[in-house]
Amino acid sequence: MSDYKLDISGYLGLNEYSNINDYMDIVEISDKFTISLEENNKSETGIICAMLKEKGFNINKSEIRDDNKVYIFANKIKN
């Protein structure tokens, strides 16, 4: 089981979402995946969570930490 992390900062355009989508394809079943992004990107958080679910991930937890970032903890459960 591998542990993947993706730190996202700044504006998210179509190209960035495409890159995030491609990165999700690397993660395999039972792997852990942590994504962090700036707290003020609430709409982006929802989009990323929807992308994760569509790619077969289970979202274990989402939280805002002291560094003002949203952390999404997920693991892949199916292809």
Side-chain angles (χ1 to χ4, degrees), residues 6 8 12 16-24 48 51:
L6 179 62
I8 303 167
L12 294 178
E16 288 77 22
Y17 281 114
S18 178
N19 292 338
I20 293 166
N21 191 56
D22 291 344
Y23 193 83
M24 288 179 186
I48 291 172
M51 291 170 64

Side-chain angles (χ1 to χ4, degrees), residues 11-67:
Y11 172 77
L12 294 178
L14 290 177
N15 191 44
E16 288 77 22
Y17 281 114
S18 178
N19 292 338
I20 293 166
N21 191 56
D22 291 344
Y23 193 83
M24 288 179 186
D25 288 336
I26 296 170
V27 182
E28 296 183 9
I29 292 176
S30 297
D31 288 347
K32 295 179 183 178
F33 190 28
T34 304
I35 299 174
S36 62
L37 64 154
E38 297 169 10
E39 179 185 3
N40 59 354
N41 293 337
K42 293 191 188 294
S43 63
E44 284 87 356
T45 301
I47 293 169
I48 291 172
C49 286
M51 291 170 64
L52 285 165
K53 290 178 183 177
E54 185 176 308
K55 290 282 190 174
F57 285 85
N58 180 48
I59 299 171
N60 301 316
K61 181 171 55 168
S62 178
E63 66 183 16
I64 300 171
R65 293 196 175 166
D66 291 338
D67 59 359

